[in-house]
Amino acid sequence: MNVRQDIHNSDIPVLCQACEARHRGVCGALAPEQLLALSKHSSKHEIAAGTELIGDSEPITTFSNMLSGVVKLSKVLSDGRQQIVGLQFAPDFLGRPFKSESTLNAVAATPVSLCSFPRSVIDRMIKEAPELEHRLLKQTLDELDEARDWMLTLGRKTAAEKVASFLHMVAIRIDPEASAGDGPITYDLPLTRADIADFLGLTIETVSRQMTKLRKDGVIEIENNRQITIPDIARLAKRANV
Protein backbone atom coordinates (compact mmCIF):
# COMPACT_ATOMS: atom_id res chain seq x y z
CA MET A 1 0.00 0.00 0.00
CA ASN A 2 1.29 3.49 -0.86
CA VAL A 3 1.51 5.71 2.19
CA ARG A 4 1.04 9.42 1.59
CA GLN A 5 4.25 11.24 2.49
CA ASP A 6 3.80 14.22 4.75
CA ILE A 7 5.41 16.11 7.61
CA HIS A 8 5.24 13.07 9.91
CA ASN A 9 6.68 10.30 7.77
CA SER A 10 9.00 11.66 5.08
CA ASP A 11 12.13 13.55 4.22
CA ILE A 12 10.11 16.20 2.37
CA PRO A 13 11.73 19.67 2.68
CA VAL A 14 10.24 22.04 5.25
CA LEU A 15 9.12 24.44 2.49
CA CYS A 16 7.05 21.64 0.93
CA GLN A 17 5.71 19.83 3.99
CA ALA A 18 2.55 21.90 4.45
CA CYS A 19 1.90 22.36 0.73
CA GLU A 20 -1.30 20.59 -0.28
CA ALA A 21 -0.75 21.63 -3.90
CA ARG A 22 2.32 19.38 -3.94
CA HIS A 23 0.22 16.22 -3.85
CA ARG A 24 -1.84 17.13 -6.93
CA GLY A 25 0.65 19.37 -8.76
CA VAL A 26 3.76 18.70 -10.79
CA CYS A 27 5.93 18.47 -7.67
CA GLY A 28 4.15 15.21 -6.84
CA ALA A 29 6.34 13.64 -9.53
CA LEU A 30 9.56 14.41 -7.63
CA ALA A 31 11.36 12.25 -5.09
CA PRO A 32 12.23 13.80 -1.70
CA GLU A 33 15.83 14.48 -2.73
CA GLN A 34 14.62 16.20 -5.91
CA LEU A 35 12.15 18.28 -3.91
CA LEU A 36 15.01 19.25 -1.62
CA ALA A 37 17.10 20.39 -4.58
CA LEU A 38 14.16 22.35 -5.99
CA SER A 39 13.32 23.94 -2.63
CA LYS A 40 16.79 25.50 -2.47
CA HIS A 41 15.84 27.63 -5.46
CA SER A 42 12.16 28.16 -4.60
CA SER A 43 10.43 31.17 -3.11
CA LYS A 44 6.83 31.80 -2.10
CA HIS A 45 4.96 34.96 -3.05
CA GLU A 46 1.60 36.48 -2.16
CA ILE A 47 0.30 38.36 -5.18
CA ALA A 48 -2.45 40.98 -5.10
CA ALA A 49 -5.45 40.72 -7.44
CA GLY A 50 -4.89 42.63 -10.67
CA THR A 51 -1.12 42.04 -10.75
CA GLU A 52 0.35 40.97 -14.09
CA LEU A 53 2.34 37.77 -13.62
CA ILE A 54 3.38 37.13 -17.22
CA GLY A 55 3.33 39.58 -20.11
CA ASP A 56 2.72 38.71 -23.75
CA SER A 57 6.01 38.22 -25.68
CA GLU A 58 8.09 38.44 -22.48
CA PRO A 59 11.08 36.09 -22.02
CA ILE A 60 10.21 33.16 -19.75
CA THR A 61 12.69 33.12 -16.87
CA THR A 62 10.65 31.58 -14.05
CA PHE A 63 7.91 29.00 -13.52
CA SER A 64 5.47 28.78 -10.61
CA ASN A 65 3.18 26.33 -8.90
CA MET A 66 -0.13 27.90 -7.96
CA LEU A 67 -0.84 27.28 -4.28
CA SER A 68 -4.12 29.21 -4.12
CA GLY A 69 -6.17 31.72 -6.05
CA VAL A 70 -7.19 32.12 -9.70
CA VAL A 71 -5.19 33.47 -12.65
CA LYS A 72 -6.79 34.64 -15.88
CA LEU A 73 -5.03 34.12 -19.19
CA SER A 74 -5.69 36.52 -22.04
CA LYS A 75 -4.59 37.47 -25.52
CA VAL A 76 -4.45 41.08 -26.68
CA LEU A 77 -5.02 42.09 -30.31
CA SER A 78 -2.89 44.72 -32.01
CA ASP A 79 -5.67 47.29 -31.54
CA GLY A 80 -5.76 46.72 -27.78
CA ARG A 81 -8.83 44.51 -27.58
CA GLN A 82 -8.50 41.67 -25.05
CA GLN A 83 -9.95 38.17 -24.94
CA ILE A 84 -9.78 35.98 -21.85
CA VAL A 85 -8.81 32.54 -23.14
CA GLY A 86 -8.52 30.55 -19.93
CA LEU A 87 -8.35 30.36 -16.16
CA GLN A 88 -5.82 28.60 -13.95
CA PHE A 89 -6.40 27.30 -10.44
CA ALA A 90 -4.24 25.64 -7.78
CA PRO A 91 -2.28 23.41 -8.26
CA ASP A 92 -1.77 24.41 -11.91
CA PHE A 93 1.72 25.06 -13.25
CA LEU A 94 2.12 28.67 -14.34
CA GLY A 95 4.46 29.14 -17.28
CA ARG A 96 5.21 27.60 -20.65
CA PRO A 97 7.90 24.90 -20.65
CA PHE A 98 9.90 24.27 -23.83
CA LYS A 99 9.39 27.81 -25.07
CA SER A 100 11.57 30.87 -24.58
CA GLU A 101 8.85 33.50 -24.84
CA SER A 102 5.33 33.90 -23.48
CA THR A 103 2.42 34.03 -25.94
CA LEU A 104 -0.22 35.44 -23.59
CA ASN A 105 -0.84 37.58 -20.53
CA ALA A 106 -1.38 36.07 -17.09
CA VAL A 107 -3.01 38.30 -14.46
CA ALA A 108 -4.04 37.46 -10.90
CA ALA A 109 -7.85 37.47 -10.95
CA THR A 110 -7.89 37.04 -7.15
CA PRO A 111 -5.16 37.19 -4.52
CA VAL A 112 -2.77 34.42 -5.55
CA SER A 113 -0.13 32.44 -3.69
CA LEU A 114 2.76 31.13 -5.81
CA CYS A 115 5.81 28.98 -5.30
CA SER A 116 8.30 30.10 -7.95
CA PHE A 117 11.61 28.76 -9.23
CA PRO A 118 14.06 29.61 -12.04
CA ARG A 119 13.37 28.13 -15.44
CA SER A 120 16.91 26.76 -15.62
CA VAL A 121 16.27 24.55 -12.58
CA ILE A 122 13.08 23.08 -14.05
CA ASP A 123 14.73 22.54 -17.44
CA ARG A 124 17.49 20.56 -15.73
CA MET A 125 15.06 18.53 -13.61
CA ILE A 126 12.95 17.62 -16.63
CA LYS A 127 16.04 15.91 -18.06
CA GLU A 128 16.81 14.20 -14.75
CA ALA A 129 13.25 13.16 -13.81
CA PRO A 130 11.18 11.69 -16.68
CA GLU A 131 8.16 11.55 -14.37
CA LEU A 132 8.22 15.35 -14.08
CA GLU A 133 8.10 15.68 -17.86
CA HIS A 134 5.24 13.15 -17.89
CA ARG A 135 3.34 15.16 -15.26
CA LEU A 136 3.81 18.39 -17.22
CA LEU A 137 2.63 16.66 -20.40
CA LYS A 138 -0.44 15.32 -18.61
CA GLN A 139 -1.34 18.78 -17.34
CA THR A 140 -0.87 20.19 -20.85
CA LEU A 141 -3.19 17.51 -22.29
CA ASP A 142 -5.75 18.16 -19.55
CA GLU A 143 -5.69 21.86 -20.46
CA LEU A 144 -6.13 20.92 -24.13
CA ASP A 145 -9.18 18.80 -23.26
CA GLU A 146 -10.61 21.69 -21.23
CA ALA A 147 -9.99 24.10 -24.11
CA ARG A 148 -11.86 21.78 -26.49
CA ASP A 149 -14.77 21.51 -24.06
CA TRP A 150 -14.81 25.28 -23.79
CA MET A 151 -14.86 25.61 -27.58
CA LEU A 152 -18.06 23.55 -27.51
CA THR A 153 -19.48 25.80 -24.80
CA LEU A 154 -18.72 28.97 -26.73
CA GLY A 155 -19.72 27.62 -30.14
CA ARG A 156 -22.89 25.65 -29.47
CA LYS A 157 -24.41 26.43 -26.07
CA THR A 158 -27.09 28.98 -25.32
CA ALA A 159 -26.40 32.01 -23.14
CA ALA A 160 -28.10 30.28 -20.21
CA GLU A 161 -25.96 27.17 -20.68
CA LYS A 162 -22.79 29.25 -21.02
CA VAL A 163 -23.31 31.04 -17.69
CA ALA A 164 -24.25 27.78 -15.94
CA SER A 165 -21.19 26.09 -17.49
CA PHE A 166 -18.92 28.84 -16.18
CA LEU A 167 -20.30 28.57 -12.63
CA HIS A 168 -20.03 24.77 -12.79
CA MET A 169 -16.45 24.87 -14.13
CA VAL A 170 -15.27 27.23 -11.38
CA ALA A 171 -16.91 25.06 -8.70
CA ILE A 172 -15.20 21.85 -9.76
CA ARG A 173 -11.83 23.53 -10.36
CA ILE A 174 -11.82 25.23 -6.96
CA ASP A 175 -13.06 22.05 -5.27
CA PRO A 176 -12.25 18.85 -7.24
CA GLU A 177 -14.53 16.87 -4.90
CA ALA A 178 -17.50 19.09 -5.79
CA SER A 179 -18.71 16.78 -8.55
CA ALA A 180 -19.45 14.13 -5.90
CA GLY A 181 -22.47 16.24 -5.00
CA ASP A 182 -22.21 16.02 -1.21
CA GLY A 183 -23.70 19.20 0.23
CA PRO A 184 -23.67 22.80 -0.95
CA ILE A 185 -20.62 24.43 -2.56
CA THR A 186 -19.73 28.04 -1.82
CA TYR A 187 -17.08 30.20 -3.46
CA ASP A 188 -16.40 33.82 -4.43
CA LEU A 189 -16.60 34.61 -8.13
CA PRO A 190 -13.00 35.00 -9.37
CA LEU A 191 -14.02 37.32 -12.22
CA THR A 192 -16.07 40.49 -12.47
CA ARG A 193 -19.28 40.46 -14.50
CA ALA A 194 -17.38 42.25 -17.29
CA ASP A 195 -14.66 39.58 -17.33
CA ILE A 196 -17.24 36.77 -17.27
CA ALA A 197 -18.96 38.41 -20.25
CA ASP A 198 -15.61 38.65 -22.06
CA PHE A 199 -14.80 35.02 -21.30
CA LEU A 200 -18.21 33.80 -22.51
CA GLY A 201 -18.61 36.10 -25.49
CA LEU A 202 -21.74 37.67 -23.99
CA THR A 203 -22.77 41.12 -22.84
CA ILE A 204 -22.62 42.11 -19.17
CA GLU A 205 -26.40 42.51 -19.20
CA THR A 206 -26.89 38.97 -20.49
CA VAL A 207 -24.58 37.52 -17.84
CA SER A 208 -26.42 39.39 -15.08
CA ARG A 209 -29.82 38.36 -16.45
CA GLN A 210 -28.89 34.68 -16.63
CA MET A 211 -27.40 34.66 -13.14
CA THR A 212 -30.55 36.32 -11.80
CA LYS A 213 -32.65 33.61 -13.49
CA LEU A 214 -30.52 30.86 -11.94
CA ARG A 215 -30.96 32.52 -8.55
CA LYS A 216 -34.73 32.87 -8.92
CA ASP A 217 -34.97 29.22 -9.97
CA GLY A 218 -33.04 28.17 -6.85
CA VAL A 219 -30.12 26.71 -8.80
CA ILE A 220 -27.67 29.13 -7.14
CA GLU A 221 -27.67 31.61 -4.28
CA ILE A 222 -25.86 34.95 -4.51
CA GLU A 223 -24.60 37.00 -1.55
CA ASN A 224 -22.87 40.39 -1.75
CA ASN A 225 -22.89 40.14 -5.54
CA ARG A 226 -19.82 37.85 -5.56
CA GLN A 227 -20.40 34.89 -3.24
CA ILE A 228 -22.00 31.96 -5.02
CA THR A 229 -23.58 28.99 -3.26
CA ILE A 230 -24.62 25.94 -5.27
CA PRO A 231 -27.05 23.80 -3.23
CA ASP A 232 -27.03 20.93 -5.76
CA ILE A 233 -24.15 20.67 -8.24
CA ALA A 234 -26.02 18.04 -10.29
CA ARG A 235 -28.87 20.48 -10.88
CA LEU A 236 -26.42 23.15 -12.06
CA ALA A 237 -24.71 20.58 -14.31
CA LYS A 238 -28.05 19.80 -15.91
CA ARG A 239 -28.65 23.50 -16.60
CA ALA A 240 -25.13 23.71 -18.06
CA ASN A 241 -25.76 20.62 -20.23
CA VAL A 242 -22.53 18.95 -19.07
Coordinates of all heavy atoms in Angstrom, one line a residue, residues 110-170:
T110 N -7.6 36.9 -8.6 CA -7.9 37.0 -7.2 C -6.5 37.1 -6.5 O -5.5 37.0 -7.2 CB -8.6 35.8 -6.6 OG1 -7.7 34.7 -6.7 CG2 -9.9 35.5 -7.5
P111 N -6.5 37.4 -5.2 CA -5.2 37.2 -4.5 C -4.6 35.8 -4.8 O -5.4 34.8 -4.7 CB -5.5 37.4 -3.0 CG -6.7 38.3 -3.1 CD -7.5 37.8 -4.2
V112 N -3.4 35.7 -5.1 CA -2.8 34.4 -5.6 C -1.5 34.1 -4.7 O -0.7 35.0 -4.4 CB -2.4 34.5 -7.1 CG1 -1.6 33.3 -7.5 CG2 -3.7 34.6 -7.9
S113 N -1.3 32.9 -4.4 CA -0.1 32.4 -3.7 C 0.6 31.5 -4.7 O 0.1 30.6 -5.2 CB -0.5 31.7 -2.4 OG 0.7 31.2 -1.8
L114 N 1.9 31.9 -4.9 CA 2.8 31.1 -5.8 C 4.0 30.6 -5.1 O 4.6 31.2 -4.2 CB 3.2 32.0 -7.0 CG 2.1 32.7 -7.9 CD1 2.8 33.6 -8.9 CD2 1.3 31.6 -8.6
C115 N 4.5 29.5 -5.6 CA 5.8 29.0 -5.3 C 6.6 29.0 -6.6 O 6.3 28.3 -7.5 CB 5.7 27.6 -4.7 SG 7.4 26.9 -4.2
S116 N 7.6 29.8 -6.7 CA 8.3 30.1 -7.9 C 9.7 29.6 -7.9 O 10.4 29.5 -6.9 CB 8.3 31.6 -8.2 OG 7.0 32.1 -8.3
F117 N 10.2 29.3 -9.1 CA 11.6 28.8 -9.2 C 12.1 29.1 -10.6 O 11.4 29.3 -11.6 CB 11.7 27.2 -9.0 CG 10.4 26.5 -9.2 CD1 9.8 26.3 -10.4 CD2 9.6 26.2 -8.0 CE1 8.6 25.7 -10.5 CE2 8.4 25.6 -8.2 CZ 7.9 25.3 -9.4
P118 N 13.5 29.2 -10.7 CA 14.1 29.6 -12.0 C 13.8 28.6 -13.1 O 13.8 27.4 -12.8 CB 15.6 29.7 -11.7 CG 15.6 29.9 -10.3 CD 14.5 29.1 -9.7
R119 N 13.6 29.0 -14.3 CA 13.4 28.1 -15.4 C 14.5 27.1 -15.6 O 14.3 26.0 -15.9 CB 13.2 28.9 -16.7 CG 13.1 28.1 -18.0 CD 13.0 28.9 -19.2 NE 13.1 28.0 -20.4 CZ 12.8 28.4 -21.6 NH1 12.4 29.6 -21.8 NH2 12.8 27.5 -22.6
S120 N 15.7 27.6 -15.4 CA 16.9 26.8 -15.6 C 16.9 25.5 -14.7 O 17.3 24.4 -15.1 CB 18.2 27.5 -15.4 OG 18.2 28.1 -14.0
V121 N 16.4 25.7 -13.5 CA 16.3 24.5 -12.6 C 15.3 23.5 -13.1 O 15.5 22.3 -13.1 CB 15.9 25.0 -11.2 CG1 15.7 23.9 -10.2 CG2 17.0 26.0 -10.6
I122 N 14.1 24.0 -13.5 CA 13.1 23.1 -14.0 C 13.6 22.4 -15.3 O 13.4 21.2 -15.5 CB 11.8 23.8 -14.3 CG1 11.2 24.3 -13.0 CG2 10.8 22.9 -15.0 CD1 10.8 23.2 -12.0
D123 N 14.2 23.1 -16.2 CA 14.7 22.5 -17.4 C 15.7 21.4 -17.1 O 15.7 20.3 -17.8 CB 15.4 23.6 -18.3 CG 14.5 24.6 -19.0 OD1 13.3 24.3 -19.0 OD2 14.9 25.6 -19.5
R124 N 16.5 21.6 -16.1 CA 17.5 20.6 -15.7 C 16.8 19.4 -15.1 O 17.1 18.2 -15.4 CB 18.5 21.1 -14.7 CG 19.6 20.1 -14.4 CD 20.6 20.7 -13.4 NE 20.1 20.8 -12.1 CZ 19.8 22.0 -11.5 NH1 20.1 23.1 -12.1 NH2 19.4 22.1 -10.3
M125 N 15.8 19.6 -14.3 CA 15.1 18.5 -13.6 C 14.2 17.7 -14.6 O 14.0 16.5 -14.4 CB 14.2 19.1 -12.5 CG 15.0 19.5 -11.3 SD 13.9 19.8 -9.8 CE 15.2 19.6 -8.5
I126 N 13.7 18.4 -15.6 CA 12.9 17.6 -16.6 C 13.8 16.6 -17.3 O 13.4 15.4 -17.5 CB 12.4 18.6 -17.7 CG1 11.2 19.4 -17.1 CG2 11.9 17.8 -18.9 CD1 10.7 20.5 -18.0
K127 N 15.1 16.9 -17.5 CA 16.0 15.9 -18.1 C 16.4 14.8 -17.1 O 16.6 13.7 -17.4 CB 17.3 16.6 -18.5 CG 17.1 17.6 -19.6 CD 18.4 18.4 -20.0 CE 18.2 19.4 -21.0 NZ 19.4 20.2 -21.3
E128 N 16.4 15.2 -15.8 CA 16.8 14.2 -14.8 C 15.6 13.4 -14.3 O 15.9 12.2 -13.8 CB 17.4 14.9 -13.6 CG 18.7 15.7 -13.9 CD 19.2 16.6 -12.8 OE1 18.4 16.7 -11.8 OE2 20.3 17.1 -12.9
A129 N 14.4 13.9 -14.4 CA 13.3 13.2 -13.8 C 12.2 13.0 -14.9 O 11.4 13.9 -15.1 CB 12.7 13.9 -12.6
P130 N 12.2 11.9 -15.6 CA 11.2 11.7 -16.7 C 9.7 11.8 -16.2 O 8.9 12.2 -16.9 CB 11.5 10.3 -17.2 CG 12.9 10.0 -16.8 CD 13.1 10.8 -15.5
E131 N 9.5 11.5 -14.9 CA 8.2 11.5 -14.4 C 7.7 13.0 -14.3 O 6.5 13.3 -14.4 CB 8.1 10.9 -13.0 CG 6.7 10.9 -12.3 CD 5.7 10.2 -13.1 OE1 6.1 9.2 -13.9 OE2 4.5 10.5 -13.0
L132 N 8.6 13.9 -14.1 CA 8.2 15.3 -14.1 C 7.8 15.8 -15.5 O 6.7 16.5 -15.6 CB 9.4 16.2 -13.6 CG 9.2 17.7 -13.7 CD1 8.0 18.2 -12.8 CD2 10.5 18.5 -13.3
E133 N 8.5 15.4 -16.5 CA 8.1 15.7 -17.9 C 6.7 15.1 -18.2 O 5.9 15.7 -18.8 CB 9.1 15.2 -18.9 CG 8.9 15.6 -20.3 CD 10.0 15.2 -21.2 OE1 10.7 14.3 -20.9 OE2 10.1 15.9 -22.3
H134 N 6.5 13.8 -17.7 CA 5.2 13.2 -17.9 C 4.1 13.9 -17.2 O 3.0 14.1 -17.8 CB 5.3 11.7 -17.3 CG 4.0 11.0 -17.4 ND1 3.6 10.4 -18.5 CD2 3.1 10.8 -16.4 CE1 2.4 9.8 -18.3 NE2 2.1 10.0 -17.0
R135 N 4.4 14.4 -16.0 CA 3.3 15.2 -15.3 C 3.0 16.5 -16.0 O 1.9 16.9 -16.1 CB 3.8 15.4 -13.8 CG 2.8 16.1 -12.9 CD 1.7 15.1 -12.5 NE 2.2 14.0 -11.7 CZ 2.0 14.0 -10.3 NH1 1.5 15.0 -9.7 NH2 2.5 12.9 -9.7
L136 N 4.0 17.2 -16.5 CA 3.8 18.4 -17.2 C 3.0 18.1 -18.5 O 2.1 18.9 -18.9 CB 5.1 19.0 -17.6 CG 5.9 19.8 -16.4 CD1 7.3 20.1 -16.8 CD2 5.1 21.0 -16.0
L137 N 3.4 17.0 -19.2 CA 2.6 16.7 -20.4 C 1.2 16.3 -20.1 O 0.3 16.8 -20.8 CB 3.3 15.5 -21.1 CG 2.6 14.9 -22.3 CD1 2.5 16.0 -23.4 CD2 3.3 13.7 -22.8
K138 N 0.9 15.6 -19.0 CA -0.4 15.3 -18.6 C -1.2 16.6 -18.3 O -2.4 16.7 -18.8 CB -0.5 14.4 -17.4 CG -1.9 14.0 -17.0 CD -1.9 13.1 -15.7 CE -3.3 12.7 -15.4 NZ -4.2 13.8 -15.2
Q139 N -0.6 17.5 -17.6 CA -1.3 18.8 -17.3 C -1.6 19.5 -18.6 O -2.7 20.1 -18.8 CB -0.5 19.7 -16.4 CG -1.2 21.0 -16.1 CD -0.5 21.8 -15.0 OE1 -0.3 21.3 -13.9 NE2 -0.2 23.1 -15.3
T140 N -0.7 19.5 -19.6 CA -0.9 20.2 -20.9 C -2.0 19.6 -21.6 O -2.9 20.2 -22.2 CB 0.4 20.1 -21.7 OG1 1.5 20.8 -21.0 CG2 0.2 20.8 -23.0
L141 N -2.1 18.2 -21.6 CA -3.2 17.5 -22.3 C -4.5 17.8 -21.6 O -5.6 17.9 -22.3 CB -2.9 16.0 -22.4 CG -1.7 15.6 -23.2 CD1 -1.4 14.1 -23.1 CD2 -1.9 16.0 -24.7
D142 N -4.5 17.8 -20.3 CA -5.7 18.2 -19.5 C -6.2 19.6 -19.9 O -7.5 19.8 -20.1 CB -5.5 18.1 -18.0 CG -5.4 16.7 -17.5 OD1 -5.7 15.7 -18.2 OD2 -4.9 16.5 -16.4
E143 N -5.3 20.5 -20.1 CA -5.7 21.9 -20.5 C -6.2 21.9 -21.9 O -7.1 22.6 -22.2 CB -4.5 22.8 -20.3 CG -4.1 23.1 -18.9 CD -2.9 24.0 -18.8 OE1 -2.3 24.3 -19.8 OE2 -2.5 24.3 -17.6
L144 N -5.6 21.0 -22.8 CA -6.1 20.9 -24.1 C -7.6 20.4 -24.2 O -8.4 20.9 -24.9 CB -5.2 20.0 -25.0 CG -5.6 19.8 -26.4 CD1 -5.7 21.1 -27.2 CD2 -4.6 18.8 -27.1
D145 N -7.8 19.4 -23.3 CA -9.2 18.8 -23.3 C -10.2 19.9 -22.8 O -11.3 20.0 -23.3 CB -9.2 17.6 -22.3 CG -8.5 16.4 -22.9 OD1 -8.4 16.3 -24.1 OD2 -8.2 15.5 -22.1
E146 N -9.7 20.6 -21.8 CA -10.6 21.7 -21.2 C -10.9 22.8 -22.3 O -12.0 23.3 -22.4 CB -10.0 22.3 -20.0 CG -9.9 21.4 -18.8 CD -9.0 21.9 -17.7 OE1 -8.5 23.1 -17.8 OE2 -8.8 21.2 -16.7
A147 N -9.8 23.1 -23.1 CA -10.0 24.1 -24.1 C -11.0 23.6 -25.2 O -11.8 24.4 -25.7 CB -8.6 24.4 -24.7
R148 N -10.9 22.3 -25.5 CA -11.9 21.8 -26.5 C -13.3 21.8 -26.0 O -14.2 22.1 -26.7 CB -11.4 20.4 -26.9 CG -10.2 20.3 -27.8 CD -9.6 18.9 -27.9 NE -8.6 18.9 -28.9 CZ -7.7 17.9 -29.0 NH1 -7.8 16.8 -28.2 NH2 -6.8 17.9 -30.0
D149 N -13.4 21.4 -24.7 CA -14.8 21.5 -24.1 C -15.3 22.9 -24.1 O -16.5 23.2 -24.3 CB -14.7 21.0 -22.6 CG -14.5 19.5 -22.6 OD1 -14.8 18.8 -23.6 OD2 -14.1 19.0 -21.5
W150 N -14.4 23.9 -23.8 CA -14.8 25.3 -23.8 C -15.2 25.8 -25.2 O -16.0 26.6 -25.3 CB -13.7 26.2 -23.1 CG -14.3 27.4 -22.5 CD1 -14.2 28.7 -22.9 CD2 -15.3 27.4 -21.4 NE1 -14.9 29.5 -22.1 CE2 -15.6 28.8 -21.2 CE3 -15.8 26.5 -20.6 CZ2 -16.5 29.2 -20.2 CZ3 -16.7 26.8 -19.6 CH2 -17.0 28.2 -19.4
M151 N -14.5 25.3 -26.2 CA -14.9 25.6 -27.6 C -16.3 25.2 -27.9 O -17.1 25.9 -28.5 CB -13.9 24.9 -28.6 CG -12.5 25.5 -28.6 SD -11.4 24.6 -29.7 CE -12.2 24.8 -31.3
L152 N -16.7 24.0 -27.4 CA -18.1 23.5 -27.5 C -19.0 24.5 -26.8 O -20.1 24.8 -27.3 CB -18.2 22.1 -27.0 CG -19.6 21.5 -26.9 CD1 -20.2 21.4 -28.3 CD2 -19.6 20.2 -26.2
T153 N -18.6 24.9 -25.6 CA -19.5 25.8 -24.8 C -19.7 27.1 -25.6 O -20.8 27.6 -25.7 CB -18.8 26.1 -23.4 OG1 -18.8 24.9 -22.7 CG2 -19.6 27.2 -22.7
L154 N -18.6 27.7 -26.1 CA -18.7 29.0 -26.7 C -19.4 28.9 -28.1 O -20.1 29.8 -28.5 CB -17.3 29.6 -26.9 CG -16.6 29.9 -25.6 CD1 -15.2 30.5 -25.9 CD2 -17.4 30.9 -24.7
G155 N -19.2 27.7 -28.8 CA -19.7 27.6 -30.1 C -21.1 27.1 -30.3 O -21.8 27.4 -31.2
R156 N -21.6 26.3 -29.3 CA -22.9 25.6 -29.5 C -23.9 25.9 -28.3 O -25.1 25.7 -28.5 CB -22.7 24.1 -29.6 CG -22.1 23.7 -31.0 CD -23.2 23.9 -32.1 NE -22.6 23.6 -33.4 CZ -22.2 24.5 -34.2 NH1 -22.2 25.8 -33.9 NH2 -21.7 24.1 -35.4
K157 N -23.5 26.3 -27.2 CA -24.4 26.4 -26.1 C -25.1 27.8 -26.1 O -24.7 28.8 -26.6 CB -23.7 26.2 -24.7 CG -23.2 24.8 -24.5 CD -22.7 24.6 -23.1 CE -22.3 23.1 -22.9 NZ -21.8 22.9 -21.5
T158 N -26.3 27.8 -25.5 CA -27.1 29.0 -25.3 C -26.5 29.9 -24.3 O -25.6 29.4 -23.5 CB -28.5 28.7 -24.9 OG1 -28.5 28.1 -23.6 CG2 -29.2 27.7 -25.9
A159 N -26.9 31.1 -24.2 CA -26.4 32.0 -23.1 C -26.6 31.4 -21.7 O -25.8 31.5 -20.9 CB -27.1 33.4 -23.3
A160 N -27.8 30.9 -21.5 CA -28.1 30.3 -20.2 C -27.1 29.1 -19.9 O -26.6 29.0 -18.8 CB -29.5 29.8 -20.2
E161 N -26.9 28.3 -20.9 CA -26.0 27.2 -20.7 C -24.5 27.6 -20.5 O -23.8 27.1 -19.7 CB -26.0 26.2 -21.9 CG -27.4 25.4 -22.0 CD -27.5 24.7 -23.3 OE1 -26.9 25.1 -24.3 OE2 -28.2 23.6 -23.3
K162 N -24.1 28.7 -21.2 CA -22.8 29.2 -21.0 C -22.5 29.7 -19.6 O -21.5 29.4 -19.0 CB -22.6 30.4 -22.0 CG -22.4 30.0 -23.4 CD -22.1 31.2 -24.3 CE -22.0 30.8 -25.8 NZ -21.7 32.0 -26.6
V163 N -23.5 30.5 -19.1 CA -23.3 31.0 -17.7 C -23.3 29.9 -16.7 O -22.5 29.9 -15.8 CB -24.4 32.1 -17.4 CG1 -24.3 32.5 -15.9 CG2 -24.3 33.3 -18.3
A164 N -24.2 28.9 -16.8 CA -24.3 27.8 -15.9 C -23.0 27.0 -16.1 O -22.4 26.5 -15.1 CB -25.5 26.9 -16.3
S165 N -22.4 26.8 -17.3 CA -21.2 26.1 -17.5 C -20.0 26.8 -16.8 O -19.2 26.1 -16.2 CB -20.9 26.0 -19.0 OG -21.8 25.2 -19.6
F166 N -20.0 28.1 -16.8 CA -18.9 28.8 -16.2 C -19.0 28.6 -14.7 O -17.9 28.3 -14.0 CB -19.0 30.3 -16.5 CG -18.1 31.2 -15.7 CD1 -16.8 31.3 -16.0 CD2 -18.6 31.9 -14.6 CE1 -15.9 32.1 -15.2 CE2 -17.7 32.7 -13.8 CZ -16.4 32.7 -14.1
L167 N -20.2 28.7 -14.1 CA -20.3 28.6 -12.6 C -20.0 27.1 -12.2 O -19.3 26.9 -11.2 CB -21.7 28.9 -12.2 CG -22.1 30.4 -12.4 CD1 -23.6 30.5 -12.1 CD2 -21.3 31.3 -11.6
H168 N -20.3 26.2 -13.1 CA -20.0 24.8 -12.8 C -18.5 24.5 -12.9 O -17.9 23.8 -12.0 CB -20.8 23.9 -13.8 CG -20.6 22.4 -13.6 ND1 -19.6 21.7 -14.2 CD2 -21.3 21.5 -12.8 CE1 -19.7 20.4 -13.8 NE2 -20.7 20.3 -13.0
M169 N -17.9 25.1 -13.9 CA -16.4 24.9 -14.1 C -15.7 25.4 -13.0 O -14.7 24.8 -12.4 CB -16.0 25.5 -15.4 CG -14.5 25.4 -15.7 SD -13.5 26.8 -15.1 CE -14.1 28.1 -16.2
V170 N -16.0 26.6 -12.5 CA -15.3 27.2 -11.4 C -15.4 26.4 -10.1 O -14.5 26.1 -9.4 CB -15.7 28.7 -11.1 CG1 -15.1 29.2 -9.9 CG2 -15.4 29.6 -12.3

